[in-house]
Amino acid sequence: MSTLIKLHPSGRQIESRPGETVLESLERAGYALPNNCRAGACGECKVKVLSGHFDQGVVLDMALSAEERKQGFGLMCMAKPLSPELVIEWGTADAKPKLFPPRENQRYTVIDRVPRTPRITEFRLRPLGQPMRYWPGQYVTLSDVEGKVPARCYSIANAPRPDGEIALQITRIEGGVTSVWIHDHLQIGDIVRINGPYGTFIGDLSLDTPVLCLAAGSGLAPIRALTEAALRRGYRKPVTLLFSGKTKEDIYDLGLMRYWETKHRNFTFKATLTQERDPQWLHGRIPQILPDLFPTLTGYNVFIAGSPAFVADCSAAVKTLGAEESMIHTEGYFGQAQPSVAPAEQLLSA
């Protein structure tokens, strides 16, 4: 027996196939419900069921408490519909993902710091309290616990994990108080203050279209999180990530990119250098080389992250190639010396 799953408040309807979990049905229809373990253990896919019946299956009490069950919540990774209709609370009135409320003064411990380029270091942080819920592509603010160092905004570079660990790829900017403090003083075991999540760069990579991601410098961070989330949930359409660096030293995360290419046949990574030539990479700025790589971008979802100038130039280039305005998603990063501009101050490397 098939079930009609209705999303509230948008009213969108999805047909669930026999034997499917609610999560599987949502993903097949192109809706990105947050999830991690897919086994009823993490609670990331928890939503409220407004009407209808479902088999919850075996889930851990720590992921779904008895009180939450009474209130109508369920874990959609394990829930299988039993009634002809199931109404769940998901998304906004226009069916876009609903943002999680940001939380202030979260304490995170630095568990690792990994040099990525001469200027970019990846800091891996794990929460001391409840893991933060966020959408891939969002950002947080980071500062010292005492509040002596100005808070600055950094995109999360990984999709959500059950243990709540987040990765921040931070560029050292000379004269930037926060970035210099982070690079020179923040060590493994130190505790920092995190606020968030913030931002709306959460375009759904599970949409049934080819995807092109364009990134420069630490703009790779939110793109990496979005791509990881999409590949994790089995996205099948072609996904191309085109990364721009000044020199070959600026091309990082290559091991992860090659792993994704091997594991996911629909994923392709390309890089281009703007200030030197190397036979391994393309040469030139992305707006100039894009027409040779993609004669048309009609029907593509395009995600762009980097400096404001990079975002503006790439946006113009993809529009020229047929990308629709509604299918272009952008995140522009501003340097520390500039005034606060939405979405936030951010650091650059290319």
Side-chain angles (χ1 to χ4, degrees):
M1 178 188 72
S2 63
T3 295
L4 196 63
I5 299 175
K6 291 186 177 180
L7 309 183
H8 176 81
S10 68
R12 299 287 179 87
Q13 300 183 357
I14 300 164
E15 184 176 349
S16 178
R17 296 170 179 171
E20 279 188 334
T21 65
V22 175
L23 175 61
E24 290 170 338
S25 300
L26 289 170
E27 290 180 336
R28 181 170 50 80
Y31 294 97
L33 182 71
N35 68 90
N36 270 309
C37 69
R38 305 180 79 92
C42 72
E44 188 70 19
C45 64
K46 187 184 307 176
V47 302
K48 190 170 188 177
V49 178
L50 302 178
S51 67
H53 302 284
F54 62 98
D55 176 7
Q56 179 58 91
V58 179
V59 302
L60 299 184
D61 289 340
M62 61 179 291
L64 185 67
S65 67
E67 180 60 30
E68 288 172 327
R69 292 173 191 251
K70 290 180 182 178
Q71 295 174 5
F73 288 93
L75 301 186
M76 298 301 101
C77 70
M78 300 293 288
K80 294 183 178 181
L82 295 176
S83 55
E85 182 177 288
L86 196 70
V87 181
I88 66 171
E89 196 171 67
W90 189 92
T92 58
D94 56 1
K96 290 183 178 180
K98 190 174 183 179
L99 300 180
F100 300 113
R103 292 159 47 196
E104 295 186 351
N105 299 319
Q106 301 173 76
R107 298 298 195 263
Y108 277 70
T109 300
V110 179
I111 64 167
D112 203 1
R113 49 180 293 163
V114 183
R116 293 301 186 189
T117 76
R119 297 176 60 203
I120 298 176
T121 298
E122 180 171 309
F123 292 82
R124 296 175 183 168
L125 314 174
R126 194 163 291 179
L128 295 176
Q130 188 73 15
M132 176 179 60
R133 299 190 73 187
Y134 66 93
W135 287 97
Q138 290 192 289
Y139 64 86
V140 297
T141 67
L142 180 150
S143 64
D144 64 316
V145 174
E146 294 79 15
K148 297 178 180 179
V149 177
R152 289 293 182 261
C153 303
Y154 303 99
S155 291
I156 303 171
N158 60 289
R161 294 169 35 132
D163 60 11
E165 181 180 316
I166 61 174
L168 305 179
Q169 297 177 341
I170 300 177
T171 307
R172 180 188 177 97
I173 300 294
E174 296 304 328
V177 175
T178 303
S179 76
V180 170
W181 171 76
I182 289 171
H183 279 259
D184 291 352
H185 299 287
L186 197 57
Q187 300 299 322
I188 294 173
D190 289 348
I191 299 175
V192 296
R193 179 167 57 187
I194 295 290
N195 294 339
Y198 306 109
T200 57
F201 187 60
I202 56 174
D204 186 0
L205 286 181
S206 70
L207 295 172
D208 192 25
T209 71
V211 170
L212 173 63
C213 299
L214 308 176
S218 54
L220 181 62
I223 293 293
R224 191 180 85 171
L226 284 164
T227 305
E228 178 189 348
L231 296 177
R232 177 193 291 174
R233 59 180 177 257
Y235 182 72
R236 297 303 179 194
K237 291 289 185 177
V239 177
T240 302
L241 199 166
L242 181 54
F243 182 60
S244 177
K246 294 178 181 177
T247 69
K248 59 186 178 183
E249 289 185 324
D250 295 319
I251 307 302
Y252 67 100
D253 264 342
L254 186 57
L256 179 62
M257 298 300 135
R258 295 307 184 218
Y259 168 74
W260 281 349
E261 285 186 314
T262 302
K263 185 175 181 180
H264 305 281
R265 298 298 179 89
N266 60 320
F267 176 75
T268 302
F269 175 75
K270 296 179 181 293
T272 183
L273 308 180
T274 60
Q275 295 187 3
E276 72 176 17
R277 293 182 180 272
D278 186 286
Q280 186 179 2
W281 309 116
L282 301 166
H283 177 75
R285 299 180 66 249
I286 286 179
Q288 278 70 56
I289 67 172
L290 205 54
D292 291 333
L293 300 174
F294 295 90
T296 179
L297 289 173
T298 301
Y300 274 74
N301 266 282
V302 182
F303 297 82
I304 309 171
S307 71
F310 174 83
V311 169
D313 290 346
C314 288
S315 295
V318 299
K319 289 176 185 176
T320 300
L321 294 173
E324 299 177 18
E325 182 80 38
S326 62
M327 299 173 72
I328 301 173
H329 317 274
T330 63
E331 182 82 306
Y333 295 170
F334 293 82
Q336 287 189 341
Q338 298 192 23
S340 179
V341 180
E345 294 178 353
Q346 181 56 286
L347 306 181
L348 321 175
S349 72

